[in-house]
Amino acid sequence: MKRMLAVCATIAALDCAAAAAPDAGKTIAMKGSATGAPPCTSCHGAQGEGNAAAGFPRLAALGQSYFVRQLDAFAHDRRKSPVMAPVAKALDPAQASAVARYFSSLPAAATPAPPRDAATSGALLAQAGRWSESRLPACNQCHGPDGSGVGDSFPPLLGQPAAYIKAQLVAWHDGARAPGPQALMKTVASKLSVADMDAISGYFGGAAPAAGAAPPAGTIRDAAQVAHKDGFTPPPESAIPDDEFGKLVRRGKAIFIDTKKNAAAFVGNDLNCVNCHLDAGRLAGSAPLWGAYVAYPQFRSKTGRIDDYADRLQGCFQFSMNGKAPPLGSDVLRALEAYSSWMATGAPVRTRMAGAGYAKVARPTGGGDHARGARLYEERCALCHGAAGAGQRARNVQVFPPLWGSRSFNWGAGMHQLNNAAAFVAANMPLGQGGTLDAAQAWDVAYFMDAHERPQDPRFTGSVAETRRKYHDSEDSLYGLTVKGQVLGAGR
Amino acid sequence: MKRMLAVCATIAALDCAAAAAPDAGKTIAMKGSATGAPPCTSCHGAQGEGNAAAGFPRLAALGQSYFVRQLDAFAHDRRKSPVMAPVAKALDPAQASAVARYFSSLPAAATPAPPRDAATSGALLAQAGRWSESRLPACNQCHGPDGSGVGDSFPPLLGQPAAYIKAQLVAWHDGARAPGPQALMKTVASKLSVADMDAISGYFGGAAPAAGAAPPAGTIRDAAQVAHKDGFTPPPESAIPDDEFGKLVRRGKAIFIDTKKNAAAFVGNDLNCVNCHLDAGRLAGSAPLWGAYVAYPQFRSKTGRIDDYADRLQGCFQFSMNGKAPPLGSDVLRALEAYSSWMATGAPVRTRMAGAGYAKVARPTGGGDHARGARLYEERCALCHGAAGAGQRARNVQVFPPLWGSRSFNWGAGMHQLNNAAAFVAANMPLGQGGTLDAAQAWDVAYFMDAHERPQDPRFTGSVAETRRKYHDSEDSLYGLTVKGQVLGAGR
């Protein structure tokens, strides 16, 4: 009993309630509750595997916290369901938690991974999104590799019945389901057509939902979605030629998307190129590769010389990836250069293109506030990047990038500068909701992010003060300054 | 006397006549001839220095052979001059040669070099020509550094009176002076306006000629000149920015123009980049830098991989310059890349632009004929490149490039391939008279040029036959074939 109390002191109260009655959840699941809830397994299957034909979702391995929140939403009508509302209302918090715990402990049936190379619209929406046209993130950017779920807030899509997935998208679109954390799914659903919803739900659910199932009311594609007309459209993926050059372009893309895996020797943290250059480097306003490629060679004050594109790529590895510069002429640089140049096909050499880089955001007086930034971070960023800024992983893949700490970009990276970070945040964060923070908010968040410790600048001279004088003598850098009693750059 | 005869046997007959009477030339120059020629020095000055005010040319150091040919032209009315015709007619060949020998032995007064950096139209025409608009070569491309003269056929311009220079240009234009060797000067004059003639003559003559002196009849700019509209015009020299990038661009241009001097460590022959890429790399149809820059990265069968622009530049040094590849990231490659990218400003990335490379010329049956090529070479090429293909030097500068032999491009260079050489010749040779040889003639000349020995291919495997199999298995390469009893590539 003493031991049990000690455990209770360290885990959440709900867990303790369940821990006190280990079989309570299973009993409710199999037989229903004394308070009138029917057995969950009647609809959701004996092992919580769901019912594809009826569109009843899988409950097994769903995640306890997520499960409890869904029951709460049904009980309080944030998810409208005539079937689930009375069930959820019949369970008290301890019962709900017990059921959640039970189903979370059941293994999900192995579901074959969806086809990654398919050029179907479902595969494209799941893996690439539709950034340029409507700033629609890919499903997998939040739901993880193959949509298999990430953490507490991004449930698995893979293996859920197609009809269920589609019904949820329709419900978010129509307001029948609450907008969800930060209205992310409301935003997403507003950018989807009925055909898109069918494609996505079919992709993850293994089959298209029955036609006519829950047809959405009205025109479903949101007319308010922003078309980004920046005067340049990179060629579509399908235009990558089927020859030696095309091979190198594809290799470049693979490195760009999954840098840690495909250029391992040169990466010293948990980031990938695509973290700062959204939509595989295509997206205007997110430092697209086509905008960068045509800007080089150029003088950079950072290096004090004219850098060409390969030189510039080296800098990314050294600083943003906290790694080592791939040698000039190496396969990694050649592949990234090929990918970039292909993306810039037709773009004018040595011009500043609309949509290149990150659009500057005016520096507010003071340049950002730590306390306001911390509040905003908690509200808008922590869901994905975590309270400690460490990002989130799933199935051994870094789904959300770490923003500070030992696995993030180092003190020499461009993103450690407030102006760059604020510009990136304003245009692109939260993911798919770029433009929803104003300039001052973007600076506050940037300040909070960049006021954390991270790996040392590789140009470190041995003295933080001297390194600041030499490389960071700018109001955009917090390196070497004291924030919250800590000299940044001095390590911990 | 025996010794004198031996000398006579080894030098030209005219020289012998003069040698027999060493003071005859001086006597005629100072006092006139018994046959009625007045003293040359009356008009041309006591030291043959000319008379700038009157427009009488300098005779000192003019070059004996050129001098004799001019007297002959005056005597036979190919140069029309009421003053010089009776003088020239009064001298027999021995007298003419003696006078020529005398004046050629006199030193030319030191003339300050004209301002090389001036952006006046005279400086531009003298140093850069007007290639893109009218395929007009620079004066100095034939008349040598600062127009100080090259060999027997390209007299010094520097230090000749402005009025004299202008009068000659007008005379060529109007037909009052015979077209000259290969009609080169007739071609040049046809592309000049009166203002151009004033600018050029002022540039070399140190002062503008008197206004109204010998006004040319009719519209002097030839309407037949070809405007090369290829859809892309590189920025003008004047647009090179005045910043760090501009500095590197200028350095790149300096390397491009005078490669041997400015990239000495990587050049193993007497060529400069500009020899194959006319007009400082700007000229459409002559493998312009803007056309090349936007074509990379690309797959090259020569290297069997995707080369980027720096890789491609390395190849130029290794083969065309018979030297060593500057390392990736080296100053030389950076500068050439900067220069090229600047020239491509605004050109679309990864496109095949009109005017890029050399326009292909259809291969005639048989692919070129040695005997016909030899004849054409003698008629059209030897004037500049020399009978032995060694080019011509002046003031320690290689004015006309060597086309074969130890100081030319090696067996690995693109220009050793008949298709490339024929394309270059057809479009660009003789200098400023591109398009005057037909396809079959271009192939014949290319064949003759490329059927000469040159430095070994640096990829030589130790066996000519094997090297041909590996690298030259093409009807466009004569490497390893037997021509005129000689196995090409086997050295001598």
Side-chain angles (χ1 to χ4, degrees):
Chain A
M1 188 65 202
K2 222 174 193 175
R3 196 169 145 263
M4 181 63 80
L5 279 173
V7 170
C8 283
T10 60
I11 58 175
L14 289 174
D15 284 347
C16 285
D23 286 338
K26 183 172 183 180
T27 304
I28 296 169
M30 308 297 279
K31 304 187 179 165
S33 73
T35 48
C40 310
T41 51
S42 303
C43 292
H44 294 280
Q47 296 301 310
E49 70 272 23
N51 181 328
F56 299 147
R58 187 189 87 198
L59 302 183
L62 200 55
Q64 188 177 357
S65 157
Y66 177 78
F67 197 116
V68 167
R69 278 180 280 134
Q70 302 319 304
L71 283 176
D72 191 61
F74 285 123
H76 297 89
D77 236 25
R78 294 194 304 281
R79 286 186 72 167
K80 293 186 208 320
S81 166
V83 176
M84 283 303 300
V87 176
K89 282 176 183 161
L91 299 172
D92 67 24
Q95 289 173 312
S97 180
V99 173
R101 195 175 195 210
Y102 171 67
F103 280 111
S104 297
S105 72
L106 295 181
T111 311
R116 291 188 194 173
D117 291 338
T120 62
S121 68
L124 291 173
L125 288 165
Q127 297 175 93
R130 194 162 51 209
W131 278 100
S132 296
E133 199 186 327
S134 55
R135 307 235 154 185
L136 174 69
C139 307
N140 293 357
Q141 280 186 276
C142 292
H143 291 274
D146 294 327
S148 53
V150 177
D152 278 345
S153 298
F154 302 96
L157 307 178
L158 183 63
Q160 290 293 19
Y164 172 72
I165 297 175
K166 179 171 176 184
Q168 303 316 304
L169 292 170
V170 170
W172 273 304
H173 180 274
D174 290 350
R177 181 168 174 178
Q182 299 190 190
L184 284 175
M185 285 311 300
K186 167 85 182 158
T187 307
V188 164
S190 74
K191 295 174 179 181
L192 298 177
S193 68
V194 177
D196 294 334
M197 294 176 179
D198 284 339
I200 292 167
S201 52
Y203 179 77
F204 288 113
T219 305
I220 207 155
R221 187 178 292 213
D222 192 340
Q225 67 186 233
V226 185
H228 287 269
K229 294 279 170 231
D230 289 295
F232 183 74
T233 305
E237 287 279 314
S238 59
I240 297 178
D242 193 19
D243 58 12
E244 287 299 317
F245 180 72
K247 264 189 223 167
L248 196 63
V249 169
R250 286 196 183 84
R251 167 128 177 83
K253 187 186 171 191
I255 292 170
F256 195 82
I257 298 291
D258 201 348
T259 322
K260 200 173 160 56
K261 180 174 148 204
N262 293 315
F266 308 109
V267 177
N269 59 20
D270 289 334
L271 300 183
N272 296 305
C273 305
V274 72
N275 291 141
C276 293
H277 309 270
L278 301 182
D279 193 22
R282 304 173 69 89
L283 189 62
S286 181
L289 294 181
W290 45 266
Y293 185 77
V294 299
Y296 287 85
Q298 71 170 237
F299 178 80
R300 298 185 73 217
S301 54
K302 187 168 187 171
T303 57
R305 66 171 194 199
I306 312 298
D307 284 341
D308 68 11
Y309 194 69
D311 297 325
R312 182 64 190 85
L313 290 173
Q314 286 189 321
C316 289
F317 282 94
Q318 221 186 336
F319 302 111
S320 298
M321 311 307 290
N322 191 37
K324 277 183 295 193
L328 294 176
S330 62
D331 169 60
V332 166
L333 293 190
R334 275 179 207 282
L336 287 169
E337 187 181 37
Y339 180 49
S340 305
S341 71
W342 169 79
M343 201 175 282
T345 301
V349 170
R350 286 191 56 70
T351 51
R352 173 80 191 175
M353 296 179 77
Y358 303 120
K360 284 193 200 324
V361 171
R363 179 187 175 82
T365 314
D369 179 89
H370 192 278
R372 286 196 309 263
R375 246 186 341 265
L376 274 164
Y377 183 86
E378 177 57 32
E379 288 165 18
R380 308 295 303 271
C381 316
L383 178 74
C384 297
H385 295 286
Q392 290 191 68
R393 296 177 71 82
R395 297 214 307 192
N396 211 26
V397 166
Q398 192 75 33
V399 178
F400 298 110
L403 302 185
W404 61 82
S406 64
R407 306 305 298 165
S408 186
F409 54 88
N410 69 37
W411 280 110
M415 204 56 89
H416 106 274
Q417 291 193 210
L418 301 177
N419 54 342
N420 293 331
F424 175 81
V425 167
N428 299 300
M429 290 288 119
L431 200 66
Q433 296 180 325
T436 60
L437 296 174
D438 66 25
Q441 289 175 314
W443 275 84
D444 289 343
V445 168
Y447 188 98
F448 178 73
M449 172 177 84
D450 283 338
H452 284 88
E453 203 48 271
R454 55 184 64 260
Q456 185 56 271
D457 189 326
R459 300 164 298 179
F460 186 55
T461 66
S463 147
V464 170
E466 189 190 15
T467 303
R468 177 169 174 90
R469 262 197 313 280
K470 274 186 89 162
Y471 302 113
H472 300 290
D473 187 16
S474 153
E475 64 180 0
D476 288 320
S477 176
L478 299 178
Y479 182 91
L481 302 189
T482 303
V483 176
K484 299 262 152 201
Q486 197 96 32
V487 178
L488 292 169
R492 296 191 252 206
Chain B
M1 187 61 201
K2 224 175 190 171
R3 193 169 149 266
M4 180 63 79
L5 279 172
V7 171
C8 283
T10 61
I11 58 175
L14 289 173
D15 283 349
C16 286
D23 286 339
K26 182 172 185 181
T27 304
I28 295 168
M30 307 296 279
K31 302 184 179 167
S33 74
T35 49
C40 311
T41 51
S42 303
C43 291
H44 293 279
Q47 297 300 311
E49 71 272 21
N51 181 327
F56 299 147
R58 187 188 88 198
L59 302 183
L62 200 54
Q64 188 177 355
S65 157
Y66 177 79
F67 197 116
V68 168
R69 276 180 280 136
Q70 303 318 304
L71 282 176
D72 191 61
F74 285 123
H76 296 90
D77 238 27
R78 293 193 306 280
R79 287 187 71 168
K80 293 186 208 317
S81 166
V83 176
M84 282 305 298
V87 176
K89 282 175 181 162
L91 298 174
D92 66 24
Q95 288 174 313
S97 179
V99 172
R101 194 175 198 208
Y102 171 67
F103 279 110
S104 297
S105 72
L106 296 181
T111 311
R116 290 188 195 173
D117 291 338
T120 63
S121 66
L124 291 174
L125 288 166
Q127 298 176 94
R130 195 164 50 212
W131 279 100
S132 295
E133 198 184 329
S134 54
R135 308 234 154 187
L136 175 68
C139 307
N140 294 356
Q141 280 186 274
C142 291
H143 291 275
D146 295 327
S148 53
V150 176
D152 279 345
S153 299
F154 301 96
L157 306 178
L158 183 65
Q160 289 295 18
Y164 172 72
I165 296 174
K166 178 172 175 183
Q168 303 316 305
L169 292 171
V170 170
W172 272 305
H173 181 273
D174 291 351
R177 183 169 172 178
Q182 298 190 193
L184 285 174
M185 286 310 302
K186 168 82 182 162
T187 306
V188 165
S190 73
K191 296 173 178 179
L192 298 176
S193 69
V194 177
D196 293 335
M197 294 177 178
D198 285 340
I200 291 168
S201 52
Y203 179 76
F204 288 112
T219 305
I220 207 156
R221 187 180 290 213
D222 191 338
Q225 68 184 234
V226 185
H228 288 269
K229 295 279 170 233
D230 289 292
F232 183 73
T233 305
E237 287 280 313
S238 58
I240 298 178
D242 194 21
D243 58 13
E244 287 299 316
F245 180 71
K247 263 189 221 166
L248 195 63
V249 169
R250 286 197 182 83
R251 168 127 178 84
K253 187 187 170 190
I255 292 170
F256 196 83
I257 297 291
D258 202 348
T259 321
K260 199 172 159 57
K261 181 174 147 202
N262 294 316
F266 308 108
V267 177
N269 59 20
D270 289 334
L271 299 184
N272 296 304
C273 305
V274 73
N275 291 142
C276 293
H277 309 269
L278 300 182
D279 193 21
R282 305 172 68 87
L283 189 62
S286 179
L289 294 181
W290 44 266
Y293 185 77
V294 298
Y296 286 85
Q298 68 170 238
F299 178 80
R300 297 185 73 218
S301 53
K302 188 168 185 171
T303 58
R305 65 172 195 199
I306 311 298
D307 283 342
D308 69 10
Y309 195 69
D311 297 324
R312 181 64 190 84
L313 291 172
Q314 287 190 320
C316 288
F317 281 94
Q318 221 188 334
F319 302 111
S320 298
M321 312 305 290
N322 192 35
K324 278 182 296 197
L328 294 176
S330 62
D331 168 60
V332 166
L333 293 191
R334 275 180 205 281
L336 287 169
E337 187 181 37
Y339 179 49
S340 305
S341 72
W342 168 79
M343 200 175 282
T345 301
V349 170
R350 287 191 54 71
T351 52
R352 172 81 192 177
M353 297 181 75
Y358 304 120
K360 284 194 200 322
V361 171
R363 178 186 175 86
T365 313
D369 178 89
H370 192 278
R372 286 196 309 262
R375 247 185 340 265
L376 275 165
Y377 183 85
E378 177 57 31
E379 287 165 19
R380 310 293 304 270
C381 317
L383 179 74
C384 296
H385 294 288
Q392 291 191 67
R393 297 177 71 81
R395 299 213 309 194
N396 212 25
V397 167
Q398 191 76 33
V399 178
F400 298 110
L403 303 185
W404 61 81
S406 64
R407 306 305 298 164
S408 187
F409 53 88
N410 68 37
W411 281 111
M415 204 56 89
H416 106 273
Q417 292 193 210
L418 301 178
N419 55 340
N420 294 330
F424 176 80
V425 166
N428 298 301
M429 289 289 119
L431 201 66
Q433 297 180 323
T436 61
L437 296 174
D438 65 26
Q441 290 175 316
W443 274 85
D444 289 342
V445 168
Y447 189 99
F448 178 72
M449 173 177 84
D450 283 339
H452 284 90
E453 203 46 272
R454 56 183 64 262
Q456 185 56 272
D457 189 326
R459 299 164 298 180
F460 185 55
T461 66
S463 147
V464 169
E466 190 190 14
T467 303
R468 177 170 174 91
R469 262 197 311 279
K470 272 187 91 161
Y471 302 113
H472 299 292
D473 187 16
S474 152
E475 63 180 0
D476 287 320
S477 176
L478 300 178
Y479 182 92
L481 302 189
T482 302
V483 177
K484 298 263 151 199
Q486 198 98 31
V487 177
L488 292 169
R492 292 193 256 208

